[in-house]
C-alpha cells in the first residue's frame, strides 16, 4: 500500500489535517506500506514557503516521516502540460474566457435556480464550448468537454471506496457528470493545471494506490477517475474519511487558527493528545 497526505501550503495545518495525515500513515504502517507527503502548491498566488516549512515541522512533531525530496506541484508543470496536450489531441479541451459573473448570468437568475454547484464549483453553461483549442487567448482557462470525454470511455470508471461509511464500488453516472459536474477546468489562467488535473497526474506519478482524503472530496474523486480513464492511468482505491468538526458541528477551515496544530503545540499538548482529540488514540 502506498498512501499520501497532500496539503496545500496556504495556511496552518489544523486538527482535520492531523487526522488525515495520521490515518494515512496508520493505514500504510498496518499494511507494511509507504506514506508519502506531497506539497500541493499549484496555486502559486496563495502558496507560501513558510507555510510549507510549518507543515514539515508539524508533521514531524506528530511523529510522521516520509521519503524526500517531497514532490511539489510547482516543479512538475511539464507533466501537467503533457497531460493537457494529450487531452487536447483527443479533441476534449476548449479555451474559456468566462468569468464567474458570465457563468452566473448564462445560468439564469438565482430565483430561476441560478448556477448549480458541483465538485468543480458552478456547473459551466457551455458558452465557450464551440471554441477551438488553438484559439486560446491570454487569460483564458482550459476546460474539459465533459459530454465528449464521457463518450470516449469504453467503460464508465468507478470510485472504489474502502472507508466503511461509503464502502463499495461507485460507478460514474454520465448524466450526473454532465448535470452536476459539467465542463471542469483543467488549467486556470496563470496556473499550469487545475487542482483536479494536477492531483490525478501526481497520484499516478507517485504510484499512490490508496488515496486517503476527507469525505468533502468524495464527489471530486469522480472527476479524478474520469481523468485516469481518459489518460490510461492506474486507478487507486479511495478512503474518504470523516471530517473533524468544531463544537458547533462546522468543519474546520484553514483560517480556523484556534484548531491549528501549532497552537496546540505552543500550549503544551503532546502528539498523543492530538491523536486522542481526533479519535485515533
Ligand atoms: N490539497 C488538498 C487540500 O489541502 C487535498 C488534496 C487531496 O487530498 O487530494 O485540501
Amino acid at each position: 500500500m502506498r498512501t499520501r497526505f497532500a496539503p496545500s501550503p496556504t495556511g496552518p495545518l489544523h486538527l482535520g489535517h492531523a487526522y488525515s495525515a495520521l490515518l494515512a500513515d496508520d493505514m500504510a504502517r498496518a499494511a507494511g506500506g509507504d506514506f508519502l507527503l506531497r506539497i500541493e502548491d499549484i496555486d502559486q498566488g496563495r502558496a507560501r514557503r513558510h507555510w510549507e516549512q510549518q507543515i514539515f515541522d508539524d508533521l514531524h512533531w506528530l511523529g510522521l516521516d516520509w521519503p524526500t525530496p517531497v514532490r511539489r506541484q510547482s516543479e512538475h508543470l511539464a507533466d501537467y502540460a503533457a497531460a493537457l496536450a494529450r487531452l487536447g489531441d483527443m479533441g476534449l479541451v476548449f479555451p474559456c474566457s468566462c468569468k464567474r459573473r458570465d457563468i452566473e448570468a448564462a445560468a439564469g437568475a438565482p430565483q430561476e435556480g441560478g448556477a448549480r454547484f458541483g465538485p468543480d464549483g458552478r456547473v459551466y453553461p457551455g458558452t465557450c464550448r464551440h471554441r477551438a483549442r488553438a484559439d486560446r487567448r491570454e487569460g483564458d482557462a482550459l476546460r474539459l468537454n465533459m459530454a465528449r470525454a464521457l463518450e470516449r470511455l469504453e467503460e464508465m470508471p468507478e470510485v472504489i471506496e474502502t472507508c466503511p461509511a461509503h464502502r463499495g464500488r461507485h460507478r460514474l453516472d454520465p448524466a450526473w457528470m454532465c448535470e452536476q459536474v459539467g465542463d471542469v477546468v483543467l488549467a486556470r489562467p496563470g496556473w499550469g493545471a487545475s487542482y483536479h488535473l494536477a492531483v490525478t497526474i501526481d497520484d499516478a506519478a507517485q504510484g499512490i494506490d490508496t488515496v486517503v482524503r476527507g469525505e468533502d472530496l468524495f464527489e471530486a474523486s469522480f472527476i479524478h477517475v474520469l481523468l485516469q480513464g481518459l489518460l490510461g492511468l492506474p486507478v487507486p482505491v479511495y478512503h474518504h474519511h470523516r471530517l473533524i468538526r468544531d463544537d458547533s458541528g462546522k468543519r474546520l477551515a484553514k483560517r480556523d487558527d484556534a484548531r491549528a496544530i501549532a497552537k496546540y503545540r505552543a500550549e503544551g499538548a503532546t502528539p498523543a493528545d492530538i491523536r486522542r482529540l481526533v479519535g485515533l488514540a
Side-chain angles (χ1 to χ4, degrees):
M1 183 189 288
R2 182 174 269 216
T3 68
R4 47 64 160 193
F5 177 56
S8 305
T10 55
L13 295 187
H14 55 57
L15 284 183
H17 296 108
Y19 176 61
S20 203
L22 289 166
L23 178 65
D25 186 62
D26 284 359
M27 287 172 61
R29 268 173 208 270
D34 300 316
F35 166 80
L36 271 59
L37 177 66
R38 173 167 79 234
I39 296 293
E40 298 216 320
D41 63 350
I42 194 77
D43 180 358
Q44 283 285 299
R46 293 200 308 142
R48 296 286 177 272
R49 277 298 165 106
H50 71 270
W51 290 126
E52 183 182 302
Q53 191 53 51
Q54 171 106 44
I55 288 170
F56 296 153
D57 292 350
D58 285 345
L59 295 177
H60 278 137
W61 177 80
L62 282 169
L64 298 174
D65 214 349
W66 50 85
T68 53
V70 160
R71 183 175 170 103
R72 271 197 204 98
Q73 290 180 325
S74 58
E75 293 168 358
H76 295 275
L77 300 184
D79 296 2
Y80 313 136
L84 270 172
R86 274 192 64 196
L87 294 169
D89 291 345
M90 292 161 80
L92 304 180
V93 176
F94 64 89
C96 173
S97 57
C98 295
K99 302 284 172 263
R100 188 189 300 175
R101 60 175 184 281
D102 303 323
I103 297 175
E104 265 163 11
Q111 60 271 26
E112 296 162 25
R116 281 188 301 273
F117 263 85
D120 192 45
R122 289 171 180 75
V123 177
Y124 186 62
T127 320
C128 291
R129 198 180 290 139
H130 64 280
R131 289 177 57 197
R133 179 173 168 242
D135 172 38
R136 189 180 190 190
R137 292 185 289 261
E138 174 103 23
D140 282 354
L142 290 174
R143 288 182 180 271
L144 179 74
N145 182 323
M146 180 59 78
R148 218 184 264 174
L150 291 162
E151 280 166 17
R152 285 292 297 233
L153 295 169
E154 273 161 29
E155 205 189 330
M156 281 304 133
E158 302 176 311
V159 172
I160 303 171
E161 174 65 57
T162 62
C163 185
H166 313 274
R167 193 190 304 277
R169 303 174 87 97
H170 304 270
R171 194 173 289 283
L172 193 142
D173 171 1
W176 185 86
M177 290 301 284
C178 287
E179 285 157 23
Q180 297 298 325
V181 185
D183 299 332
V184 295
V185 175
L186 296 174
R188 296 183 185 283
W191 296 23
S194 65
Y195 156 71
H196 297 298
L197 182 66
V199 87
T200 304
I201 302 300
D202 293 336
D203 283 333
Q206 293 191 290
I208 302 300
D209 59 17
T210 307
V211 173
V212 179
R213 56 157 69 126
E215 62 189 7
D216 53 327
L217 289 171
F218 182 76
E219 291 186 341
S221 295
F222 285 108
I223 301 173
H224 307 162
V225 295
L226 168 72
L227 292 172
Q228 287 153 9
L230 293 170
L231 292 166
L233 301 173
V235 181
V237 301
Y238 288 84
H239 188 101
H240 294 94
H241 59 70
R242 66 183 164 84
L243 300 178
I244 303 293
R245 298 178 184 277
D246 67 14
D247 299 335
S248 65
K250 257 192 20 246
R251 81 181 167 94
L252 303 180
K254 276 264 165 62
R255 56 193 173 280
D256 196 354
D257 284 4
R259 315 286 157 152
I261 312 295
K263 185 114 189 279
Y264 285 96
R265 286 174 65 182
E267 286 168 359
T270 65
D273 294 332
I274 303 289
R275 287 191 81 93
R276 235 183 334 270
L277 277 167
V278 299
L280 277 177

